[in-house]
Amino acid sequence: MKMGENAASAAMHQKVFDVSINVGESKCFDDDGRLKRTGTVWTASAHIITAVIGSGVLSLAWATAQLGWVAGPTVMLLFSFVTYYTSVLLSECYRSGDPVDGKRNYTYMDAVRSNLGSLQVKICGLIQYANLFGVAIGYTIASSISMMAIKRSNCFHASGGKNPCQINSNPYMIMFGVIEIIFSQIPDFDQIWWLSIVAAVMSFTYSTIGLGLGVAKVAENGKVLGSLTGISIGTVSEMQKIWRSSQALGAIAFAYSYSLILIEIQDTVKSPPAESKTMKKATLISVVVTTIFYMMCGCFGYAAFGDQSPGNLLTGFGFYNPFWLLDIANAAIVIHLVGAYQVYCQPLFAFVEKTATQYYPHNKLITTEIQIPIPGSNNPYKLNLFRLIWRTVFVVLTTVISMLLPFFNDIVGILGAFGFWPLTVYFPVEMYIVQKKIPKWSTKWICLQTLSAACLVISIAAAVGSFAGVVSDLQVYKPFKTSY
């Protein structure tokens, strides 16, 4: 009888083992029990390019004009190298321990928590989410400027340049806000891959148009404008030269900023191969592509306009014709920024909703989902009231602040300075040191800390210059009455 019981017990254990094997190798679920991730090198690259080639590309001609032909391209190359290198370090921190089977870190903050502890998590969270909030404001401002540029170019064309075509920015910011309220109801980051691909295509569209117009302008001028040291003393004062050069560093830093959502992008990638391998390839592709575009847009914009390079290449009205091409470029900017806003804000949305669920697990407002049938689809839309209310409030708040502070270049510089060192350099370096157990005062440790310290100095300089720009703008500023 005992032998029969042992046989039955062994059979049951074998069955449980087989079930566990089947779950582990399930075609529907990953090793953490979540639905199978389907992201590839190309979807990850699309997410990164959507996040990177944003409105920042439009300020690069202005940034190059402040720094000149030597420092401008050099600084862009240095930022691209630092961004790529630290992104590779950060991608190694997606899994704690073993790079293939280790515990997954679903967000940037999860990675910091696993490697650096709770105090650093709080500091990281404050910086990361404040930066995401700031990016939403910056993108709202940039999109409204592009929408106004379409209106103004058509007005200029209709009046033959006689009408100054002053336009208030508020209605356009409100319009962008309404669009974002709708798109913000997409529940999760992995469900906006199609929006990222559309946005990435749009970013190439307007960057290519900006580049093409710059090349055409250089050909029309018959010479390359600009100087080795940038905008000259006399055109601006010595103090303005210093502030503007510092602000240019912030603008370039912002143009390369995407590390704060890298882990969230990596969490959409399928395995095998190891997610870090896929992410390294996606990062290399994205940084190379964006650097080529940035160098060409920044350099040809500066070559076309020299010291007069506008703060926003496509809306500063360095170009007037062909007006229809400018309209296409600015429409592409708006479509891109609709997607980029979501790429940046979805991690913030997810954090707030996850935290609310943890603190109030039985609150029906937070947990209840109402299924709404979608015509032609078997999958109904799941409406969550808390998500609807909080995301709407978030978009309204960013829109109102954008209407209060419509300073494109200054906001871009502040965001770049504020987020670059801690999120792109400090945390990735510190986590990598812990993850790989790099000995203190070893050659590699000293090199990594030197890189971090150098980037801190650059961030401080950029922040000072950008805040100086805001102070200067505020002297002639009237709330809610900004016109272009």
Side-chain angles (χ1 to χ4, degrees), residues 48 51-57 59-60 72-84 86-87 139 248-260 262 283 286-296 344 412 416 419-420 424:
I48 294 171
V52 179
I53 303 185
S55 53
V57 69
S59 64
L60 291 179
T74 302
V75 168
M76 273 191 266
L77 285 173
L78 285 174
F79 270 101
S80 68
F81 170 76
V82 170
T83 301
Y84 170 70
T86 57
S87 295
Y139 281 179
L249 294 176
I252 295 170
F254 177 76
Y256 278 102
S257 172
Y258 79 94
S259 296
L260 69 172
L262 183 143
T283 297
S286 305
V287 171
V288 168
V289 169
T290 53
T291 300
I292 291 170
F293 261 80
Y294 283 3
M295 292 288 285
M296 293 176 78
Y344 273 100
V412 160
F420 174 69
T424 301

Side-chain angles (χ1 to χ4, degrees), residues 328-345:
I328 291 172
N330 281 300
I333 291 171
V334 175
I335 295 169
H336 171 260
L337 292 177
V338 168
Y341 186 106
Q342 290 303 314
V343 168
Y344 273 100
C345 291

Side-chain angles (χ1 to χ4, degrees), residues 151-434:
K151 180 76 173 175
R152 284 187 69 200
S153 76
N154 292 328
C155 173
F156 265 77
H157 185 259
S159 66
K162 296 176 183 177
N163 189 337
C165 301
Q166 289 292 313
I167 303 169
N168 189 290
S169 62
N170 293 342
Y172 297 94
M173 291 188 186
I174 293 169
M175 192 184 306
F176 183 80
V178 170
I179 294 169
E180 289 304 339
I181 286 173
I182 295 169
F183 278 105
S184 291
Q185 296 312 310
I186 297 173
D188 301 311
F189 192 90
D190 60 350
Q191 294 177 23
I192 63 168
W193 61 268
W194 59 272
L195 193 57
S196 280
I197 291 173
V198 170
V201 171
M202 292 298 106
S203 68
F204 280 120
T205 301
Y206 68 74
S207 298
T208 304
I209 291 173
L211 173 61
L213 290 171
V215 172
K217 185 73 174 178
V218 171
E220 180 186 321
N221 293 338
K223 60 180 179 179
V224 173
L225 301 179
S227 63
L228 294 178
T229 56
I231 193 167
S232 55
I233 306 295
T235 307
V236 294
S237 67
E238 287 185 20
M239 191 56 68
Q240 282 180 316
K241 173 71 174 176
I242 294 171
W243 293 144
R244 285 180 168 217
S245 296
S246 300
Q247 191 179 338
L249 294 176
I252 295 170
F254 177 76
Y256 278 102
S257 172
Y258 79 94
S259 296
L260 69 172
I261 57 169
L262 183 143
I263 296 290
E264 284 82 349
I265 293 173
Q266 193 166 343
D267 191 44
T268 67
V269 172
K270 66 183 178 183
S271 65
E275 297 87 353
S276 59
K277 288 186 177 180
T278 301
M279 208 62 195
K280 286 173 188 175
K281 290 179 183 177
T283 297
L284 180 61
I285 292 168
S286 305
V287 171
V288 168
V289 169
T290 53
T291 300
I292 291 170
F293 261 80
Y294 283 3
M295 292 288 285
M296 293 176 78
C297 288
C299 292
F300 273 106
Y302 182 40
F305 299 108
D307 289 354
Q308 303 304 314
S309 296
N312 186 318
L313 189 61
L314 291 172
T315 63
F317 278 82
F319 304 116
Y320 289 92
N321 285 303
F323 79 99
W324 56 269
L325 190 60
L326 284 169
D327 288 352
I328 291 172
N330 281 300
I333 291 171
V334 175
I335 295 169
H336 171 260
L337 292 177
V338 168
Y341 186 106
Q342 290 303 314
V343 168
Y344 273 100
C345 291
Q346 284 288 343
L348 176 55
F349 294 157
F351 169 73
V352 171
E353 287 151 23
K354 179 183 175 182
T355 304
T357 303
Q358 288 174 345
Y359 277 94
Y360 306 101
H362 305 298
N363 188 306
K364 291 187 177 180
L365 176 68
I366 295 172
T367 58
T368 303
E369 291 186 336
I370 302 168
Q371 296 200 355
I372 300 175
I374 301 174
S377 174
N378 295 326
N379 299 318
Y381 175 74
K382 295 177 181 178
L383 175 67
N384 178 279
L385 290 178
F386 176 70
R387 183 173 67 228
L388 175 65
I389 295 167
W390 123 253
R391 294 189 183 190
T392 300
V393 169
F394 174 87
V395 175
V396 169
L397 185 60
T398 57
T399 304
V400 171
I401 294 174
S402 302
M403 291 159 68
L404 278 167
L405 297 171
F407 314 134
F408 176 72
N409 272 65
D410 298 330
I411 295 295
V412 160
I414 289 171
L415 290 174
F418 185 62
F420 174 69
W421 176 71
L423 297 174
T424 301
V425 182
Y426 172 76
F427 284 116
V429 164
E430 293 300 317
M431 286 192 288
Y432 183 77
I433 287 172
V434 171

Side-chain angles (χ1 to χ4, degrees), residues 6-54:
N6 288 340
S9 176
M12 185 175 73
H13 281 298
Q14 181 62 40
K15 187 174 182 181
V16 169
F17 180 75
D18 290 342
V19 169
S20 68
I21 290 291
N22 288 336
V23 170
E25 296 177 354
S26 169
K27 292 182 179 179
C28 299
F29 298 96
D30 272 326
D31 54 359
D32 59 346
R34 295 194 177 188
L35 284 174
K36 200 83 173 173
R37 293 161 176 83
T38 58
T40 64
V41 168
W42 301 110
T43 60
S45 298
H47 281 312
I48 294 171
I49 290 169
T50 299
V52 179
I53 303 185

